[in-house]
Every structure is written in structure tokens, then in C-alpha cells.
Amino acid sequence: MSPVDSFDEPDDDLFARVLLTRVIEPGDETGGRWVRELGVRGVVRRLRGAMGPLPGVGRKRWDGLVARAERAVPRDDLAVAREAGVRFVAPGTAEWPRQLDDLGDARPLGLWVRGRADLRMWALRSVAVVGARACTEYGAHMAATLSAGLAERGWVVVSGGAYGVDGAAHRGALGANGATIAVLACGVDRPYPRGHTALIDRIADQGLVLGELPPGDHPTPSRFILRNRVIAALTRGTVVVEAAHRSGSLVTARAARRLGRHTMGVPGPATSGLSAGVHELLRQDAVLVTDAAEVVELVGGIGELAPERRGPVLPRDLLEAGARQVLAALPARVSASVAEIARGAQTSRDDAVARLYELRALGYVERHDDGWKLTRQAMISVRGDPSVR
């Protein structure tokens, strides 16, 4: 019996799709077009049927794909996955996040998922938090704090499981007893980077770990880049925390923009090269955010507004408008007559006198012979008010 004829399981499409995850690289739009036009079983038949190349590839590449198809054993991959607590989620099934269909022919053939939560439900209310691997303490702090705030508000934090900002984002969400998803560029049964094995295991226990590559597959530079499109498509928006001009996290942000998702950036010091890429995003059409409330205001529903930002309330702010005008009319270091103060406050002499005695009772002014002068308390209050500088 040939390998093609052995596809007689009740879920033939599942076996064919699993096989193709061994053959077609993530994000390969040519392969995606074949699947769209011929179906997964049709593509497998061409690969295993000693036929000529499908459109879009030359003989050399086709021979490489055929060799991959010959070595693929989907039944074994599913068995290994099952042993590792991993399931395969295919497009069109109940757990498939439909927003991934926005990727068109670059849509994943399926996702290998580790964890108990329902991927489709979690992805409906998710935000990506990505950034530099070699981040600063500031970047790690902002990623962790922002992610914890999102988790506390019931949002799922999605990132790539890498060192730096990714790891800080996952830890922030986990630390708040929240939900987080790690999207890997390798088989989900072999966490990468190795130094994050314990973290990724914890994410799988408390959240979800997913990827496009079958069990045991290793990451490559191109797979990291292509993985980012899944992060962008899966979520409502992408927040970039620290990124140099050539950072891979900018790929995620650009993919989010192309897909019509919200793109956000956390600003850093103007002198920091690690924030240069974020600042470039902000100069384009990304939105500046500084905390979880501002992110939720952008990606959330109607009424999920960030609190109004205001400076501290000073004692002089509690004065009535007329008293504030008279107080503002007094010179900083010398005394002034009632007539001078009344002119400066644009009020009558009698009203100025009444206000001055009121301000004296509150400790703001004092009388010197025939003039009035600010007290030390009032001088400190004026110096502490940025609006008068």
C-alpha cells in the first residue's frame, strides 16, 4: 500500500494537514495557494504521486518538498504530540481563531497547542507585548508592569517566549495570576530558548504555548521572523516595548498595521538606541501608551477608557477664583499696596481688601505697614505649581 493510499482515516484532512506541516515552511504563500486551490489532500497527492511540480516552484525546490513529504509520518507526529500533552488545531475547527484567516495564503496550516485553555476564546481578548531581547531594566520593568495590568483587566498577554521583553511580559501576566500565550518558532514539545524551559512549562500549565512547527522541529532565523505574523494576527493589537531599528519586534508591529490591528509603542529615552525603533513607529501611525489602561482604551470596547491624567491638586487650587486672582496679583518678593493689588486682580479696592484678609487667615499673605506681601508658605506653593513657570 502506498503512502497516499494509507490516508484512509476518518480525519484524512487532519493527517494530510499534519503531513504538510513537515513539508511547507510557515508563511509560505505559494504552498498556501496550493492548499486553497487543491485542498490539503490534493497537495499531498501531488507531492507523493510522482507528478510534476505545482505552479510557482522550480524542479529543484519541488524535489526538496517531495523528499520532505516522503519522510513525513503524520501518525507518529500526532502520537508524539499526544504524549507531550500537545494537540493539533486546524483551520475550520471549533478552537481555531478565525482572525488568523486574515493572513490569507500565509495562514498557518494549523497550530500545535500545549495547554488546557480554549485558544479561540482566549485570542478574542488578547494583546501582543513584544520588544528587544537585550532589553534594559526599564524595558523589562515596563513590559512586566504593563502585562500585569492587562492581565488584571482580563486580557490575555501574547508574546514570543524569548529573552528580554518577551520573558518579562509573560512573567508579568503570570505574576498577576493572569493568562498568557507564548508563540514559538519551533516544536512546542522542545521549548526554545533552553534557558526559558521552566518559564515555558509554567506558561503551558497556566496558559497556552503554541507554534506552527511539528514536534521536535528546531527554530531558524527565518522562522522567528515568520512567527511574528501569527502574534500580530492573533491579537487585537501589538505593543512594542524597546526595539532598535532592526528589531524583529518591529516586524510584528508592521504586520499588525497591515492587518488593520492597533499598533502601540512605549517611549524610552531619546538617547537610547534600544528605543529608536519604537520612536520611529510613534512618528508614523503607532499610538503612544504608558500603561495597561491606555492600551485597553485603544483595543477594548466602548467605555473602557483610561483615567484622565492630571497633576497633583495644590492647596491654592482649592481657593475660590476671586481669591486666586488676588493671590496671583501679589509680586513674588516685595510688598504691594491694596490699589496695586486691585489693579492686578482686575477687581475693586474693597473686594481686594476682603480677599487679602481671607488669604491672611489661610496663611498665604501678611500685612507690612500699608502693604501686603506673600508669606513663605505662599512662596513655596507658587514655586511648586508648574503652571506659573
PDB file of all heavy atoms in Angstrom, residues 226-252:
ATOM      1  N   LEU A 226       8.913  34.849  10.641  1.00  0.00           N
ATOM      2  CA  LEU A 226       7.593  34.460  10.155  1.00  0.00           C
ATOM      3  C   LEU A 226       6.624  34.169  11.295  1.00  0.00           C
ATOM      4  O   LEU A 226       5.411  34.345  11.157  1.00  0.00           O
ATOM      5  CB  LEU A 226       7.730  33.249   9.232  1.00  0.00           C
ATOM      6  CG  LEU A 226       8.408  33.578   7.898  1.00  0.00           C
ATOM      7  CD1 LEU A 226       8.885  32.318   7.202  1.00  0.00           C
ATOM      8  CD2 LEU A 226       7.454  34.355   6.997  1.00  0.00           C
ATOM      9  N   ARG A 227       7.161  33.714  12.442  1.00  0.00           N
ATOM     10  CA  ARG A 227       6.325  33.507  13.623  1.00  0.00           C
ATOM     11  C   ARG A 227       5.609  34.786  14.043  1.00  0.00           C
ATOM     12  O   ARG A 227       4.481  34.771  14.562  1.00  0.00           O
ATOM     13  CB  ARG A 227       7.219  32.972  14.756  1.00  0.00           C
ATOM     14  CG  ARG A 227       6.585  32.771  16.121  1.00  0.00           C
ATOM     15  CD  ARG A 227       6.628  34.007  17.003  1.00  0.00           C
ATOM     16  NE  ARG A 227       7.910  34.658  17.086  1.00  0.00           N
ATOM     17  CZ  ARG A 227       8.842  34.380  17.984  1.00  0.00           C
ATOM     18  NH1 ARG A 227       8.644  33.428  18.862  1.00  0.00           N
ATOM     19  NH2 ARG A 227       9.981  35.071  18.000  1.00  0.00           N
ATOM     20  N   ASN A 228       6.268  35.920  13.807  1.00  0.00           N
ATOM     21  CA  ASN A 228       5.718  37.189  14.282  1.00  0.00           C
ATOM     22  C   ASN A 228       4.380  37.547  13.631  1.00  0.00           C
ATOM     23  O   ASN A 228       3.570  38.256  14.216  1.00  0.00           O
ATOM     24  CB  ASN A 228       6.738  38.310  14.063  1.00  0.00           C
ATOM     25  CG  ASN A 228       7.962  38.131  14.944  1.00  0.00           C
ATOM     26  OD1 ASN A 228       7.945  37.383  15.916  1.00  0.00           O
ATOM     27  ND2 ASN A 228       9.038  38.808  14.604  1.00  0.00           N
ATOM     28  N   ARG A 229       4.166  37.059  12.413  1.00  0.00           N
ATOM     29  CA  ARG A 229       2.884  37.368  11.755  1.00  0.00           C
ATOM     30  C   ARG A 229       1.735  36.712  12.503  1.00  0.00           C
ATOM     31  O   ARG A 229       0.608  37.243  12.521  1.00  0.00           O
ATOM     32  CB  ARG A 229       2.924  36.927  10.288  1.00  0.00           C
ATOM     33  CG  ARG A 229       2.618  35.452  10.088  1.00  0.00           C
ATOM     34  CD  ARG A 229       2.983  34.935   8.720  1.00  0.00           C
ATOM     35  NE  ARG A 229       2.394  33.613   8.466  1.00  0.00           N
ATOM     36  CZ  ARG A 229       2.788  32.481   9.061  1.00  0.00           C
ATOM     37  NH1 ARG A 229       3.789  32.490   9.924  1.00  0.00           N
ATOM     38  NH2 ARG A 229       2.189  31.351   8.771  1.00  0.00           N
ATOM     39  N   VAL A 230       1.987  35.546  13.123  1.00  0.00           N
ATOM     40  CA  VAL A 230       0.938  34.860  13.890  1.00  0.00           C
ATOM     41  C   VAL A 230       0.599  35.659  15.141  1.00  0.00           C
ATOM     42  O   VAL A 230      -0.569  35.819  15.490  1.00  0.00           O
ATOM     43  CB  VAL A 230       1.390  33.426  14.256  1.00  0.00           C
ATOM     44  CG1 VAL A 230       0.352  32.749  15.141  1.00  0.00           C
ATOM     45  CG2 VAL A 230       1.623  32.611  12.995  1.00  0.00           C
ATOM     46  N   ILE A 231       1.638  36.186  15.821  1.00  0.00           N
ATOM     47  CA  ILE A 231       1.411  37.018  17.006  1.00  0.00           C
ATOM     48  C   ILE A 231       0.563  38.229  16.641  1.00  0.00           C
ATOM     49  O   ILE A 231      -0.388  38.589  17.341  1.00  0.00           O
ATOM     50  CB  ILE A 231       2.760  37.451  17.618  1.00  0.00           C
ATOM     51  CG1 ILE A 231       3.533  36.225  18.134  1.00  0.00           C
ATOM     52  CG2 ILE A 231       2.548  38.464  18.737  1.00  0.00           C
ATOM     53  CD1 ILE A 231       4.919  36.548  18.665  1.00  0.00           C
ATOM     54  N   ALA A 232       0.897  38.858  15.513  1.00  0.00           N
ATOM     55  CA  ALA A 232       0.166  40.059  15.091  1.00  0.00           C
ATOM     56  C   ALA A 232      -1.277  39.745  14.735  1.00  0.00           C
ATOM     57  O   ALA A 232      -2.202  40.483  15.106  1.00  0.00           O
ATOM     58  CB  ALA A 232       0.876  40.704  13.904  1.00  0.00           C
ATOM     59  N   ALA A 233      -1.496  38.656  14.006  1.00  0.00           N
ATOM     60  CA  ALA A 233      -2.851  38.327  13.544  1.00  0.00           C
ATOM     61  C   ALA A 233      -3.737  37.812  14.667  1.00  0.00           C
ATOM     62  O   ALA A 233      -4.949  38.029  14.665  1.00  0.00           O
ATOM     63  CB  ALA A 233      -2.779  37.289  12.429  1.00  0.00           C
ATOM     64  N   LEU A 234      -3.137  37.144  15.640  1.00  0.00           N
ATOM     65  CA  LEU A 234      -3.905  36.512  16.716  1.00  0.00           C
ATOM     66  C   LEU A 234      -4.525  37.530  17.664  1.00  0.00           C
ATOM     67  O   LEU A 234      -5.549  37.271  18.288  1.00  0.00           O
ATOM     68  CB  LEU A 234      -2.966  35.584  17.493  1.00  0.00           C
ATOM     69  CG  LEU A 234      -3.571  34.572  18.457  1.00  0.00           C
ATOM     70  CD1 LEU A 234      -4.406  33.551  17.706  1.00  0.00           C
ATOM     71  CD2 LEU A 234      -2.465  33.875  19.254  1.00  0.00           C
ATOM     72  N   THR A 235      -3.916  38.710  17.775  1.00  0.00           N
ATOM     73  CA  THR A 235      -4.251  39.662  18.833  1.00  0.00           C
ATOM     74  C   THR A 235      -4.996  40.886  18.309  1.00  0.00           C
ATOM     75  O   THR A 235      -4.991  41.180  17.117  1.00  0.00           O
ATOM     76  CB  THR A 235      -2.967  40.114  19.540  1.00  0.00           C
ATOM     77  OG1 THR A 235      -2.040  40.617  18.569  1.00  0.00           O
ATOM     78  CG2 THR A 235      -2.311  38.943  20.257  1.00  0.00           C
ATOM     79  N   ARG A 236      -5.586  41.650  19.253  1.00  0.00           N
ATOM     80  CA  ARG A 236      -6.297  42.890  18.903  1.00  0.00           C
ATOM     81  C   ARG A 236      -5.318  44.010  18.566  1.00  0.00           C
ATOM     82  O   ARG A 236      -5.663  44.953  17.852  1.00  0.00           O
ATOM     83  CB  ARG A 236      -7.150  43.346  20.078  1.00  0.00           C
ATOM     84  CG  ARG A 236      -8.317  42.443  20.417  1.00  0.00           C
ATOM     85  CD  ARG A 236      -9.584  42.855  19.693  1.00  0.00           C
ATOM     86  NE  ARG A 236     -10.740  42.221  20.297  1.00  0.00           N
ATOM     87  CZ  ARG A 236     -11.515  42.798  21.199  1.00  0.00           C
ATOM     88  NH1 ARG A 236     -11.264  44.017  21.597  1.00  0.00           N
ATOM     89  NH2 ARG A 236     -12.538  42.143  21.705  1.00  0.00           N
ATOM     90  N   GLY A 237      -4.120  43.935  19.121  1.00  0.00           N
ATOM     91  CA  GLY A 237      -3.133  44.978  18.894  1.00  0.00           C
ATOM     92  C   GLY A 237      -1.776  44.543  19.408  1.00  0.00           C
ATOM     93  O   GLY A 237      -1.662  43.584  20.174  1.00  0.00           O
ATOM     94  N   THR A 238      -0.735  45.256  18.975  1.00  0.00           N
ATOM     95  CA  THR A 238       0.642  44.937  19.360  1.00  0.00           C
ATOM     96  C   THR A 238       1.279  46.142  20.035  1.00  0.00           C
ATOM     97  O   THR A 238       1.250  47.252  19.491  1.00  0.00           O
ATOM     98  CB  THR A 238       1.471  44.542  18.130  1.00  0.00           C
ATOM     99  OG1 THR A 238       0.972  43.305  17.606  1.00  0.00           O
ATOM    100  CG2 THR A 238       2.943  44.367  18.478  1.00  0.00           C
ATOM    101  N   VAL A 239       1.856  45.907  21.223  1.00  0.00           N
ATOM    102  CA  VAL A 239       2.605  46.943  21.950  1.00  0.00           C
ATOM    103  C   VAL A 239       4.086  46.608  21.856  1.00  0.00           C
ATOM    104  O   VAL A 239       4.486  45.494  22.197  1.00  0.00           O
ATOM    105  CB  VAL A 239       2.198  46.991  23.433  1.00  0.00           C
ATOM    106  CG1 VAL A 239       2.919  48.142  24.135  1.00  0.00           C
ATOM    107  CG2 VAL A 239       0.690  47.143  23.582  1.00  0.00           C
ATOM    108  N   VAL A 240       4.880  47.561  21.396  1.00  0.00           N
ATOM    109  CA  VAL A 240       6.336  47.358  21.313  1.00  0.00           C
ATOM    110  C   VAL A 240       6.991  48.111  22.465  1.00  0.00           C
ATOM    111  O   VAL A 240       6.801  49.315  22.622  1.00  0.00           O
ATOM    112  CB  VAL A 240       6.899  47.847  19.963  1.00  0.00           C
ATOM    113  CG1 VAL A 240       8.392  47.540  19.878  1.00  0.00           C
ATOM    114  CG2 VAL A 240       6.159  47.190  18.801  1.00  0.00           C
ATOM    115  N   VAL A 241       7.754  47.375  23.265  1.00  0.00           N
ATOM    116  CA  VAL A 241       8.487  47.959  24.397  1.00  0.00           C
ATOM    117  C   VAL A 241       9.975  47.797  24.111  1.00  0.00           C
ATOM    118  O   VAL A 241      10.506  46.702  24.203  1.00  0.00           O
ATOM    119  CB  VAL A 241       8.141  47.240  25.721  1.00  0.00           C
ATOM    120  CG1 VAL A 241       8.848  47.914  26.889  1.00  0.00           C
ATOM    121  CG2 VAL A 241       6.643  47.191  25.952  1.00  0.00           C
ATOM    122  N   GLU A 242      10.643  48.849  23.761  1.00  0.00           N
ATOM    123  CA  GLU A 242      12.061  48.848  23.392  1.00  0.00           C
ATOM    124  C   GLU A 242      12.314  48.007  22.142  1.00  0.00           C
ATOM    125  O   GLU A 242      12.039  46.808  22.108  1.00  0.00           O
ATOM    126  CB  GLU A 242      12.955  48.366  24.536  1.00  0.00           C
ATOM    127  CG  GLU A 242      13.115  49.380  25.641  1.00  0.00           C
ATOM    128  CD  GLU A 242      14.291  49.083  26.555  1.00  0.00           C
ATOM    129  OE1 GLU A 242      14.614  47.892  26.793  1.00  0.00           O
ATOM    130  OE2 GLU A 242      14.889  50.056  27.059  1.00  0.00           O
ATOM    131  N   ALA A 243      12.834  48.656  21.121  1.00  0.00           N
ATOM    132  CA  ALA A 243      13.197  47.976  19.883  1.00  0.00           C
ATOM    133  C   ALA A 243      14.161  48.862  19.117  1.00  0.00           C
ATOM    134  O   ALA A 243      13.887  50.044  18.904  1.00  0.00           O
ATOM    135  CB  ALA A 243      11.960  47.696  19.034  1.00  0.00           C
ATOM    136  N   ALA A 244      15.290  48.298  18.732  1.00  0.00           N
ATOM    137  CA  ALA A 244      16.231  49.018  17.883  1.00  0.00           C
ATOM    138  C   ALA A 244      15.669  49.059  16.460  1.00  0.00           C
ATOM    139  O   ALA A 244      14.646  48.431  16.155  1.00  0.00           O
ATOM    140  CB  ALA A 244      17.595  48.337  17.918  1.00  0.00           C
ATOM    141  N   HIS A 245      16.361  49.771  15.564  1.00  0.00           N
ATOM    142  CA  HIS A 245      15.843  49.937  14.207  1.00  0.00           C
ATOM    143  C   HIS A 245      15.677  48.613  13.468  1.00  0.00           C
ATOM    144  O   HIS A 245      14.809  48.490  12.618  1.00  0.00           O
ATOM    145  CB  HIS A 245      16.772  50.861  13.408  1.00  0.00           C
ATOM    146  CG  HIS A 245      16.534  52.315  13.694  1.00  0.00           C
ATOM    147  ND1 HIS A 245      15.319  52.936  13.494  1.00  0.00           N
ATOM    148  CD2 HIS A 245      17.373  53.282  14.157  1.00  0.00           C
ATOM    149  CE1 HIS A 245      15.406  54.217  13.825  1.00  0.00           C
ATOM    150  NE2 HIS A 245      16.633  54.452  14.235  1.00  0.00           N
ATOM    151  N   ARG A 246      16.503  47.607  13.771  1.00  0.00           N
ATOM    152  CA  ARG A 246      16.421  46.330  13.053  1.00  0.00           C
ATOM    153  C   ARG A 246      15.796  45.227  13.914  1.00  0.00           C
ATOM    154  O   ARG A 246      15.963  44.040  13.640  1.00  0.00           O
ATOM    155  CB  ARG A 246      17.825  45.897  12.597  1.00  0.00           C
ATOM    156  CG  ARG A 246      18.387  46.779  11.490  1.00  0.00           C
ATOM    157  CD  ARG A 246      19.821  46.371  11.146  1.00  0.00           C
ATOM    158  NE  ARG A 246      19.917  44.976  10.753  1.00  0.00           N
ATOM    159  CZ  ARG A 246      19.693  44.507   9.530  1.00  0.00           C
ATOM    160  NH1 ARG A 246      19.349  45.342   8.556  1.00  0.00           N
ATOM    161  NH2 ARG A 246      19.822  43.218   9.254  1.00  0.00           N
ATOM    162  N   SER A 247      15.079  45.589  14.934  1.00  0.00           N
ATOM    163  CA  SER A 247      14.494  44.603  15.837  1.00  0.00           C
ATOM    164  C   SER A 247      13.403  43.787  15.148  1.00  0.00           C
ATOM    165  O   SER A 247      12.593  44.319  14.384  1.00  0.00           O
ATOM    166  CB  SER A 247      13.906  45.303  17.065  1.00  0.00           C
ATOM    167  OG  SER A 247      13.178  44.394  17.852  1.00  0.00           O
ATOM    168  N   GLY A 248      13.364  42.478  15.446  1.00  0.00           N
ATOM    169  CA  GLY A 248      12.309  41.628  14.914  1.00  0.00           C
ATOM    170  C   GLY A 248      10.933  42.011  15.419  1.00  0.00           C
ATOM    171  O   GLY A 248       9.924  41.714  14.774  1.00  0.00           O
ATOM    172  N   SER A 249      10.870  42.670  16.580  1.00  0.00           N
ATOM    173  CA  SER A 249       9.560  43.068  17.109  1.00  0.00           C
ATOM    174  C   SER A 249       8.897  44.127  16.223  1.00  0.00           C
ATOM    175  O   SER A 249       7.662  44.247  16.222  1.00  0.00           O
ATOM    176  CB  SER A 249       9.700  43.583  18.543  1.00  0.00           C
ATOM    177  OG  SER A 249      10.608  44.649  18.602  1.00  0.00           O
ATOM    178  N   LEU A 250       9.701  44.870  15.462  1.00  0.00           N
ATOM    179  CA  LEU A 250       9.113  45.829  14.527  1.00  0.00           C
ATOM    180  C   LEU A 250       8.407  45.109  13.389  1.00  0.00           C
ATOM    181  O   LEU A 250       7.449  45.640  12.811  1.00  0.00           O
ATOM    182  CB  LEU A 250      10.199  46.760  13.976  1.00  0.00           C
ATOM    183  CG  LEU A 250      10.934  47.616  15.005  1.00  0.00           C
ATOM    184  CD1 LEU A 250      11.950  48.516  14.311  1.00  0.00           C
ATOM    185  CD2 LEU A 250       9.955  48.453  15.815  1.00  0.00           C
ATOM    186  N   VAL A 251       8.870  43.894  13.064  1.00  0.00           N
ATOM    187  CA  VAL A 251       8.189  43.079  12.057  1.00  0.00           C
ATOM    188  C   VAL A 251       6.771  42.765  12.531  1.00  0.00           C
ATOM    189  O   VAL A 251       5.813  42.808  11.757  1.00  0.00           O
ATOM    190  CB  VAL A 251       8.973  41.784  11.784  1.00  0.00           C
ATOM    191  CG1 VAL A 251       8.209  40.873  10.835  1.00  0.00           C
ATOM    192  CG2 VAL A 251      10.356  42.109  11.225  1.00  0.00           C
ATOM    193  N   THR A 252       6.656  42.438  13.825  1.00  0.00           N
ATOM    194  CA  THR A 252       5.333  42.170  14.394  1.00  0.00           C
ATOM    195  C   THR A 252       4.444  43.405  14.289  1.00  0.00           C
ATOM    196  O   THR A 252       3.271  43.315  13.908  1.00  0.00           O
ATOM    197  CB  THR A 252       5.458  41.750  15.866  1.00  0.00           C
ATOM    198  OG1 THR A 252       6.453  40.745  15.989  1.00  0.00           O
ATOM    199  CG2 THR A 252       4.141  41.231  16.395  1.00  0.00           C
TER     200      THR A 252
END
